[in-house]
Structure formats: structure tokens, C-alpha cells
Amino acid sequence: MSYAGDVTPTQAWELLENDENTVLVDCRTSAEWNFVGVPDLEILEKRTVFVEWTTFPSGAPNPRFVDDLRDAGIRDDNRVLFICRSGHRSIGAAEAATAAGIVQSYNVLDGFEGGLDENDHRGSAGWRADNLPWRQS
């Protein structure tokens, strides 16, 4: 594994709640943030950092991903939890961040809305399914 590891959405929430140095980075696309919803950390007096791993609408890799993390205030000493739709893009994001020196980079398993179920629907796993705070943009 070329990143620090995986955490469940509930474990991610606990880390965010109990460690001021832990940051949540939502690495989905701007369209997903706007139309699906986003994690809401307001009750923790924190903010979610939004940095696209792949760009919308092209789906091309974001060539400025690490620069965008740095511009958003992410430091090498932060514990960074990356979340995407289903926990796949966030692995690549965690790997890239680790390679850039952010060694406490984690993937949030099942992401924001989980993988596809037997009916090709999302929503039975992930941040929202675990009833963690979220909001529509």
C-alpha cells in the first residue's frame, strides 16, 4: 500500500472530531459537490476541503491536484482523509498526496455514496448511508 491506509466513514468522523490536525478532502468533481451533496463538518467547527482529483466535465486527471491541496492549506503534518463517491478515486488521491510528502494520507472506504448495489444504485454504503452530517450545495 502506497498510502497510510483505509478508514471507514465512521472512523473518519471520529478522527475529525478528536484531532484538530485531521482534514477531510472531498476529491470528487464540482458537479458531484453541487448535485449530490457534500460532507458537512460545521458541527465540528471544521470545513471540508474541495479539490478535484479528476476535472469536470472532461474527467481528465487534475494536473494541479497537489498544488491545489497546498493552496487549500494542507500541510505535510496534517492527517488527510480523502473521500470520493465510492472510495476508488480517493485511493489515487491518497497515493499522490503521500508521494508529495503528506504521509498521513488515508482513503475513506465506500466514499460519500458507496458502490453500485445489485440494482445498480448507490447509497447503501458510505458517508450518507452511515448517517453522517451532509448537506446539499
Side-chain angles (χ1 to χ4, degrees):
M1 183 176 297
S2 56
Y3 57 98
D6 300 307
V7 296
T8 67
T10 301
Q11 289 170 326
W13 180 262
E14 291 168 356
L15 289 167
L16 289 159
E17 185 175 37
N18 295 310
D19 179 17
E20 65 184 34
N21 199 41
T22 298
V23 178
L24 181 66
V25 174
D26 189 330
C27 62
R28 295 176 296 155
T29 66
S30 58
E32 290 169 294
W33 304 327
N34 290 320
F35 296 110
V36 178
V38 296
D40 185 357
L41 307 182
E42 184 177 345
I43 193 170
L44 300 178
E45 297 182 0
K46 290 187 170 188
R47 65 178 179 88
T48 303
V49 174
F50 299 100
V51 177
E52 289 182 314
W53 173 243
T54 57
T55 59
F56 179 81
S58 70
N62 176 0
R64 288 196 33 84
F65 180 74
V66 171
D67 293 330
D68 290 347
L69 290 175
R70 299 298 188 189
D71 290 348
I74 303 296
R75 303 179 318 270
D76 287 349
D77 65 336
N78 284 123
R79 177 187 291 134
V80 184
L81 312 174
F82 290 95
I83 190 168
C84 66
R85 178 182 58 200
S86 61
H88 295 287
R89 284 175 285 175
S90 48
I91 291 172
E95 289 173 336
T98 299
I102 307 165
V103 296
Q104 293 186 82
S105 294
Y106 293 83
N107 169 51
V108 178
L109 294 168
D110 294 320
F112 189 69
E113 45 181 335
L116 295 172
D117 66 16
E118 64 278 356
N119 297 310
D120 293 332
H121 298 143
R122 296 188 191 279
S124 60
W127 187 275
R128 289 192 326 184
D130 285 358
N131 204 30
L132 295 169
W134 68 282
R135 63 178 170 77
Q136 292 292 146
S137 293

